[in-house]
Amino acid sequence: APRQKDRAKQKSNAVLLFGGLKREDILTLKFKNANGDFELSRDANDDKSWILNYEGKGYKADLDTVTGLISTLIASKREEELQAPPLDQVGLAEPKFSITVVTADKTLNKTLQIGNDTPVNYFVYAKWLDQPDIFLTTRSLRFGIDKTARDLRNKQLFDWKLGDLTQIHFESTAQAQLEASNFTLENSE
């Protein structure tokens, strides 16, 4: 029974693009789309946080967006092999989309190139950078990396948690027909 389970696990991983890849093993995601080149890296100070590197600057990344991208990446499958169509006909001569996954132990550093949509079903053409084989995978992976810097940046205005606050002081100046305001909210039992 244990051998059968191992064989079944290996078989199911054989169709996954990144077979056996675990969320916690991913150190860096580099991807390219029409909006530019992006890099998401685990924060060295907090392994649950991610840093977006874009145009030479580092920003805190939106955790929900990164989590969704990683979930899509881990679940993406190699659907069907194709008989080597010309790369330019399927959008892979100069792919508009690519994603590179690097694991913490550096055992995985692999780039997937993503091309055009297929005329039927919900697939896109894809190939590994270092291999000639072309195959199909789901469009959801392309949608996952088709982001802007604004999509990827942390949308949280403040870095603190509501439970940590003891007091909030609010002041505003008079504008147009609004009077000036000044009040304090305090945390109490």
Side-chain angles (χ1 to χ4, degrees):
R3 287 185 188 157
Q4 287 176 332
K5 285 181 183 178
D6 285 345
R7 281 190 214 122
K9 185 176 180 182
Q10 286 174 345
K11 188 175 179 182
S12 69
N13 284 343
V15 296
L16 294 172
L17 285 176
F18 296 93
L21 179 66
K22 293 184 178 91
R23 183 178 303 274
E24 59 272 8
D25 293 339
I26 299 171
L27 177 66
T28 305
L29 296 172
K30 299 175 189 176
F31 56 95
K32 176 181 100 166
N33 64 34
N35 302 305
D37 294 346
F38 302 91
E39 181 178 301
L40 291 167
S41 301
R42 283 201 189 270
D43 187 336
N45 300 321
D46 177 9
D47 66 348
K48 290 182 177 35
S49 297
W50 289 80
I51 302 296
L52 166 66
N53 295 302
Y54 176 67
E55 295 183 340
K57 295 181 182 173
Y59 307 95
K60 282 193 174 192
D62 183 73
L63 189 56
D64 291 337
T65 303
V66 175
T67 300
L69 172 57
I70 291 173
S71 295
T72 301
L73 182 76
I74 289 172
S76 294
K77 294 181 180 180
R78 183 182 187 124
E79 298 291 341
E80 185 180 326
E81 296 277 333
L82 298 175
Q83 295 297 325
L87 294 179
D88 60 340
Q89 289 183 7
V90 294
L92 289 167
E94 297 221 11
K96 293 179 183 157
F97 300 90
S98 69
I99 184 163
T100 303
V101 178
V102 180
T103 55
D105 61 5
K106 307 285 192 232
T107 57
L108 180 66
N109 186 348
K110 211 167 183 182
T111 300
L112 180 71
Q113 297 177 317
I114 301 172
N116 298 337
D117 293 351
T118 59
V120 293
N121 294 327
Y122 294 98
F123 296 123
V124 291
Y125 297 100
K127 72 181 270 319
W128 295 109
L129 177 65
D130 60 348
Q131 297 175 5
D133 301 334
I134 297 173
F135 54 90
L136 302 180
T137 189
T138 60
R139 288 184 192 167
S140 58
L141 182 55
R142 191 206 52 223
F143 294 146
I145 63 171
D146 192 13
K147 305 284 187 215
T148 64
R150 184 181 179 138
D151 297 332
L152 295 164
R153 283 182 64 176
N154 187 355
K155 293 156 190 75
Q156 202 173 357
L157 293 177
F158 303 105
D159 226 7
W160 36 261
K161 294 179 178 74
L162 191 57
D164 295 339
L165 298 178
T166 56
Q167 186 181 81
I168 298 174
H169 183 74
F170 178 84
E171 288 184 39
S172 71
T173 58
Q175 290 182 334
Q177 298 171 343
L178 297 174
E179 294 181 18
S181 296
N182 185 351
F183 62 89
T184 301
L185 299 172
E186 290 188 15
N187 189 5
S188 69
E189 297 300 319

